[in-house]
Amino acid sequence: MDAPTPTTRDVLTQTEAEARAARVSKVAYAIALDLTRGASTYRGDVAITFQATGSEPLFLDFTGKRIDLLEVNGVAVPEPEWTGYRLTIDGASLRPDNAVRVVYENDYDHTGDGLHQFVDPEDGEEYLYTNFEPYNAHRLFPGFDQPDIKAEYLLTVKAPTEWVLIANSADYMHRTLEDGRRETTFQRTKRISTYLFALIAGPFEVFRDTHNGVDLGFFARKSLAPHVDRDELFEVTKQGLTFYGDFFDYPYPFGKYDQVFVPEFNAGAMENVAAVTHSERMVFRDPPTETQREGRAEVILHEMAHMWFGDLVTMKWWNDLWLNESFATYMAYLSMDEATRFTTSWQAFNSGMKNWAYRQDQLITTHPIAGQVADTDATFQNFDGITYGKGASVIKQLVAAMGIEGFRAGMRGYFKKHEYSNTTLSEWLDALGEGVGHDLHGWAALWLETPSLNTIAAHIEADGARIASLSLTQSAPADYPTLRPHRMDIALVREEGGALVIDEVPAHIDGATAEVPEAIGRPLPDFVFPNHHDHDFTKIALDERSLAFLRANLDRIEDPLLRQLIWQTLWNMVRDQQLKSTDYLDLAGPKVSAETDHELVETILGTMSAAISRYVPEAQKAEAAHRFFVLALDALKAASDPNLQITWARTAIAVAITPEDARTICDLADGAIHVPGLTVDQDMRWSVALRSVAYGLPGATERVEAETARDRSDRGQRALLRIETAPPSAEVKAAAWEKFQTGPSSYGSLHLTSAAMGGFHWWSQGALLEPYTERYFEALPGIFERETNEYASAYFGALWPGYRVDRALLDRANALLASLGDRLPVLQRSLREAIDDLERAVRCREFAAS
């Protein structure tokens, strides 16, 4: 039978999952897939064995094109009860031991989820990969698609002979078919969750190595393979496997370890058991900066940590998604710091993950780290900065309080006790409590089960040139008044003999106020900073004396992590309307020009760009952007460090929002402005070409033709789509807008459609784009009703009129939100966050103009 048109969304609730898990056990899948080159569909034949209790109907999750055969315990079901994503088995046909067989046909996906199909525009080669988290395994095969019904998998695949096949286990048997294809059978897996099942196929280039008896593999498309820097990839992989095996006292559990770079990937990576998929962004086609290499190492080590925490031991339901991701994030940075050359990893953690968490936790949609997740749609919404960054920050605070040895001991017991099973937060806390020798549930209630964050300030009383007393105060937002226990180090910075000296004292606050007796009698500081070394998750309020000192002396503080924490605090002051955006730019400009720390330069430039984009008054924006552009270009010309040259060049191109500055970056790309040592790479060239089209500059067409000749890859394909929608032309905008309404495949795939949407909005085209604000809000409900979460969210983010910061836009967004009632929760959350962000931007602009 052909799939019926679903009348409701494809969602699994926690209540349904719990009821099904209580009835189903000892599941095993035998999956046979039939793949043919160049086809739009594939065939599957799946046999599922399981034990079941009860006589009520039982459903399998399955989204497919057609079911050709359904057998339940050897009896064919002529008219399956199938909604298009749920296949119900009559309770009367169930036994204690069951065998269900489904033969089916399905379309390939082009959204980055399910079984995604990609054709390389450079050489025409075809590549396939699966991506299932949180609830997409049933787009490949029928089954019990929830994390706590683990199963063994026996996979057989028929595919073209020249295709490389990667799955969760090693292949062990091959057979040549009459049509010239090859049938490959993989070893039966250990018990894993459905969302961790993987199949990747195509004519990949293969890179091999071994480490302590584990076979290692990296895989990349043929056209991308020349850019794979295998030595560094294998080095980080081996360092991680050694570190985790020792730290957890549990060797890598899944035999071989493969990592595959896949195209059109929605996330950074996915921790499929023994077959990790990475976005091709992790392969550097142009010379990378050291911070890019460090970021890639974090992704590699994050996914590897999941092999133990997530894959070996898996959460029962998605309310513990935060723990899955936060633990892997924390362990990735810990392993970078202790086992790789990236020893400034905690600085990268602060600038990336933690800043993301601070921003997310101050939105109106803030939520507890740990909380109830009603269904799989709600899970999709929780892949956010709280789930990743705040959770990891809180684990870092916990480790600082309990000690690394207690944490290590707890984790070792946890893996041995719960291997190949599912757990809850409570069981994890129990294991850590055993490791440290006391109960941690009270700590968890304060840190994990309440939203938002605290602000801590330091207050000093002087006795001459000495500290008479130092106290801390803790505050919380009125809507979220929880005060939490904080452990931290306090930096006391003072001038001595022409240099800055830092005294350090430990502190603890567990209420509104706390004294710090260790500070009494120490020399009076010029500047006080709680949360030295960044073990806490809190905002810091600076006193006037410290703020005045920083204006003149911030660049003299030698510790780059402390400098970064200070810049973070200053940026929070801008966002909280305590420091004008224009004053921040005046302070940051001269100091970032002299900064040499790569992470800090990128962090400060990012905040300066954000300030100009969102927080500088509209009447001052063009001039502020031009001053920033001149600063970036001058710094580029003065830089000798190749990393900083790349950073400054990218910044200059990105901030060129006036026609004059856009013409100048064309000169940079063409060599009329020469910077010794700088190569204007292909990404930069595409960015310059895009701006030349958006600003209607002379020679734009010829520039695009030249870049197309240079780069005929999928990157060039996406760049051309951005360029296609960028011209200041009413006809171009109208045609593009109509295509956006037709779904993720309007330009061929979700990735390509997202690229086209990325070229649509330009600040300089505000008058031309004005009618699309109303069309956007009118279209949103329909998009979220009929499209997948991935496409709807891409549509919302890319086409939100972010070039506008005004109260009229705020009113229109609020009107749509009010009209939704209790409909479309994913859209409601997106709107609430965008409104909150816009309200902050409006207030910052008004404050800067006051």
Side-chain angles (χ1 to χ4, degrees):
M1 66 175 291
D2 291 336
T5 301
T7 57
T8 58
R9 288 187 63 80
D10 186 5
V11 175
L12 180 69
T13 69
Q14 181 179 10
T15 301
E16 292 169 329
E18 289 174 344
R20 189 164 62 173
R23 296 183 59 195
V24 174
S25 61
K26 295 188 178 179
V27 180
Y29 296 91
I31 303 172
L33 298 173
D34 192 333
L35 312 177
T36 305
R37 182 191 295 106
S40 61
T41 65
Y42 60 92
R43 295 190 59 79
D45 186 339
V46 175
I48 313 167
T49 59
F50 59 96
Q51 293 183 352
T53 61
S55 58
E56 300 83 8
L58 184 68
F59 68 90
L60 298 171
D61 308 291
F62 180 53
T63 298
K65 177 183 178 68
R66 188 176 69 245
I67 291 177
D68 294 324
L69 173 68
L70 171 63
E71 282 184 354
V72 179
N73 293 322
V75 178
V77 179
E79 295 184 6
E81 184 181 340
W82 187 30
T83 66
Y85 62 86
R86 286 194 178 178
L87 181 59
T88 299
I89 301 170
D90 187 349
S93 64
L94 291 173
R95 303 170 184 167
D97 293 285
N98 298 277
V100 173
R101 183 185 176 204
V102 186
V103 180
Y104 60 94
E105 184 180 11
N106 209 348
D107 293 315
Y108 285 111
D109 293 283
H110 298 94
T111 61
D113 289 324
L115 180 56
H116 183 86
Q117 181 187 47
F118 172 83
V119 177
D120 191 329
E122 220 167 340
D123 57 18
E125 295 284 11
E126 181 179 353
Y127 297 87
L128 311 172
Y129 66 85
T130 56
N131 191 54
F132 293 155
E133 189 177 27
Y135 181 58
N136 286 303
H138 63 287
R139 289 164 69 165
L140 177 69
F141 61 91
F144 304 108
D145 197 1
Q146 60 189 76
D148 60 340
I149 301 183
K150 288 193 168 186
E152 296 178 349
Y153 298 81
L154 181 63
L155 174 65
T156 301
V157 181
K158 297 176 181 178
T161 303
E162 62 273 21
W163 282 11
V164 177
L165 302 178
I166 306 106
N168 303 110
S169 55
D171 57 329
Y172 77 98
M173 189 166 65
H174 302 276
R175 182 170 68 93
T176 300
L177 304 175
E178 292 183 359
D179 61 7
R181 292 182 302 156
R182 182 175 57 193
E183 181 182 80
T184 300
T185 302
F186 293 85
Q187 295 173 2
R188 186 179 298 275
T189 70
K190 297 179 180 180
R191 293 181 68 248
I192 63 175
S193 299
T194 49
Y195 79 96
L196 299 168
F197 178 90
L199 172 65
I200 305 101
F204 287 96
E205 192 79 21
V206 183
F207 304 88
R208 294 286 189 191
D209 207 331
T210 61
H211 181 64
N212 293 338
V214 177
D215 289 330
L216 307 179
F218 275 97
F219 303 78
R221 283 188 289 130
K222 286 182 178 180
S223 62
L224 197 66
H227 303 290
V228 173
D229 47 340
R230 57 169 294 161
D231 291 344
E232 180 167 304
L233 292 169
F234 279 121
E235 178 184 39
V236 172
T237 298
K238 293 175 183 180
Q239 289 168 334
L241 287 171
T242 297
F243 177 80
Y244 289 140
D246 292 345
F247 192 91
F248 300 140
D249 191 27
Y250 196 115
Y252 172 71
F254 295 113
K256 55 92 175 178
Y257 191 62
D258 291 331
Q259 299 177 78
V260 192
F261 298 108
V262 295
E264 299 193 329
F265 202 59
N266 293 326
M270 178 59 206
E271 66 270 19
N272 312 305
V273 168
V276 173
T277 42
H278 291 287
S279 165
E280 289 182 343
R281 296 191 301 272
M282 303 299 149
V283 178
F284 304 125
R285 308 186 202 208
D286 298 314
T289 63
E290 186 69 1
T291 54
Q292 284 179 283
R293 293 184 182 277
E294 184 178 52
R296 181 177 66 182
E298 188 275 330
V299 172
I300 290 172
L301 295 169
H302 176 108
E303 305 309 323
M304 187 185 294
H306 276 308
M307 296 300 116
W308 286 264
F309 202 96
D311 294 10
L312 176 66
V313 183
T314 311
M315 64 201 164
K316 283 188 177 177
W317 180 247
W318 298 104
N319 48 15
D320 286 330
L321 169 69
W322 80 269
L323 184 55
N324 195 29
E325 298 301 343
S326 293
F327 182 88
T329 299
Y330 172 77
M331 290 304 304
Y333 285 99
L334 179 67
S335 60
M336 277 202 294
D337 183 59
E338 298 197 6
T340 77
R341 79 168 194 271
F342 300 109
T343 54
T344 60
S345 63
W346 290 119
Q347 188 180 338
F349 174 75
N350 176 274
S351 67
M353 284 290 170
K354 209 162 187 180
N355 265 329
W356 182 23
Y358 282 133
R359 180 185 176 277
Q360 191 82 43
D361 210 20
Q362 293 175 79
L363 288 170
I364 195 170
T365 53
T366 184
H367 56 86
I369 297 174
Q372 291 303 305
V373 176
D375 56 38
T376 49
D377 266 1
T379 303
F380 177 82
Q381 297 179 66
N382 280 345
F383 285 90
D384 63 12
I386 293 173
T387 294
Y388 284 79
K390 183 179 180 180
S393 301
V394 169
I395 292 175
K396 190 170 189 272
Q397 162 81 175
L398 175 61
V399 174
M402 69 184 292
I404 192 70
E405 292 303 325
F407 179 73
R408 181 188 287 116
M411 292 313 307
R412 288 178 171 182
Y414 178 80
F415 291 124
K416 288 181 174 65
K417 182 176 181 179
H418 298 293
E419 59 183 1
Y420 302 107
S421 64
N422 298 82
T423 62
T424 63
L425 168 62
S426 180
E427 289 168 306
W428 182 70
L429 291 170
D430 289 343
L432 290 188
E434 291 172 8
V436 76
H438 63 261
D439 186 274
L440 295 172
H441 288 265
W443 169 89
L446 290 170
W447 273 105
L448 304 179
E449 298 173 14
T450 60
S452 195
L453 73 166
N454 304 122
T455 299
I456 291 178
H459 309 272
I460 287 182
E461 297 292 334
D463 181 8
R466 298 281 169 177
I467 297 175
S469 69
L470 192 159
S471 62
L472 300 176
T473 60
Q474 177 182 188
S475 60
D479 291 340
Y480 305 105
T482 303
L483 299 181
R484 302 174 179 87
H486 300 263
R487 290 187 181 273
M488 67 188 70
D489 297 321
I490 301 178
L492 307 173
V493 184
R494 71 182 191 279
E495 181 92 36
E496 185 177 286
L500 296 185
V501 176
I502 301 177
D503 291 332
E504 183 179 306
V505 295
H508 174 252
I509 183 170
D510 189 5
T513 62
E515 297 295 324
V516 185
E518 292 86 349
I520 297 173
R522 292 178 182 260
L524 190 67
D526 297 299
F527 166 56
V528 182
F529 192 83
N531 198 27
H532 190 31
H533 304 310
D534 198 28
H535 292 302
D536 201 0
F537 184 79
T538 183
K539 291 169 69 174
I540 302 300
L542 295 177
D543 60 89
E544 287 299 325
R545 174 182 170 87
S546 293
L547 188 57
F549 176 82
L550 288 175
R551 290 181 184 275
N553 297 285
L554 195 161
D555 48 340
R556 296 176 60 203
I557 295 174
E558 294 184 1
D559 181 347
L561 178 55
L562 180 55
R563 287 205 307 280
Q564 183 158 299
L565 290 167
I566 294 166
W567 278 111
Q568 181 185 76
T569 299
L570 293 172
W571 179 239
N572 277 327
M573 292 175 67
V574 174
R575 285 171 44 82
D576 292 341
Q577 299 96 58
Q578 297 167 349
L579 177 65
K580 291 185 176 183
S581 56
T582 47
D583 291 343
Y584 178 82
L585 291 172
D586 290 342
L587 172 66
K591 295 194 183 301
V592 72
S593 298
E595 181 61 68
T596 58
D597 182 88
H598 300 155
E599 192 76 48
L600 255 174
V601 169
E602 292 193 16
T603 298
I604 299 167
L605 292 178
T607 56
M608 292 177 71
S609 297
I612 290 170
S613 175
R614 305 287 288 168
Y615 296 162
V616 169
E618 186 73 12
Q620 302 176 44
K621 181 172 178 175
E623 179 56 31
H626 176 66
R627 288 198 304 270
F628 188 19
F629 175 79
V630 171
L631 171 80
L633 194 61
D634 289 346
L636 168 62
K637 294 174 181 177
S640 57
D641 182 331
N643 285 279
L644 293 181
Q645 282 190 332
I646 294 170
T647 298
W648 283 112
R650 290 172 178 169
T651 300
I653 293 168
V655 79
I657 67 170
T658 66
E660 174 190 353
D661 295 339
R663 283 189 288 271
T664 302
I665 61 170
C666 290
D667 291 340
L668 179 68
D670 295 340
I673 298 175
H674 177 63
V675 178
L678 173 70
T679 298
V680 180
D681 63 40
Q682 189 58 54
D683 261 347
M684 297 180 196
R685 289 186 172 280
W686 277 123
S687 295
V688 170
L690 177 62
R691 279 161 176 74
S692 72
V693 169
Y695 285 93
L697 299 183
T701 300
E702 293 76 13
R703 183 176 301 279
V704 171
E705 291 172 350
E707 300 310 332
T708 303
R710 283 192 182 96
D711 183 11
R712 298 191 181 278
S713 70
D714 58 309
R715 171 179 60 177
Q717 183 184 34
R718 292 190 297 274
L720 285 171
L721 287 173
R722 282 188 286 271
I723 287 169
E724 181 181 320
T725 64
S729 158
E731 293 75 18
V732 166
K733 301 299 183 187
W737 188 261
E738 291 307 311
K739 291 186 74 171
F740 297 154
Q741 312 314 306
T742 62
S745 296
S746 55
Y747 286 84
S749 71
L750 171 59
H751 225 54
L752 295 176
T753 304
S754 295
M757 290 191 293
F760 190 79
H761 278 148
W762 293 87
W763 174 69
S764 61
Q765 298 175 7
L768 175 66
L769 294 169
E770 196 277 333
Y772 292 98
T773 296
E774 183 57 30
R775 295 179 195 177
Y776 171 77
F777 286 110
E778 290 176 350
L780 277 176
I783 293 290
F784 277 80
E785 283 172 350
R786 66 178 181 268
E787 302 293 350
T788 65
N789 284 327
E790 286 287 358
Y791 182 71
S793 295
Y795 182 100
F796 185 96
L799 297 179
W800 172 270
Y803 61 92
R804 290 183 55 180
V805 179
D806 55 61
R807 293 198 173 274
L809 180 62
L810 198 56
D811 292 342
R812 184 62 183 90
N814 274 312
L816 175 58
L817 179 61
S819 73
L820 294 176
D822 60 358
R823 299 168 52 234
L824 304 174
V826 177
L827 173 56
Q828 286 194 48
R829 174 163 173 172
S830 298
L831 277 169
R832 293 176 71 205
E833 291 189 351
I835 288 167
D836 195 24
D837 186 68
L838 180 58
E839 284 180 329
R840 184 184 293 270
V842 169
R843 291 196 304 268
C844 286
R845 284 191 169 191
E846 291 171 350
F847 177 68
S850 64

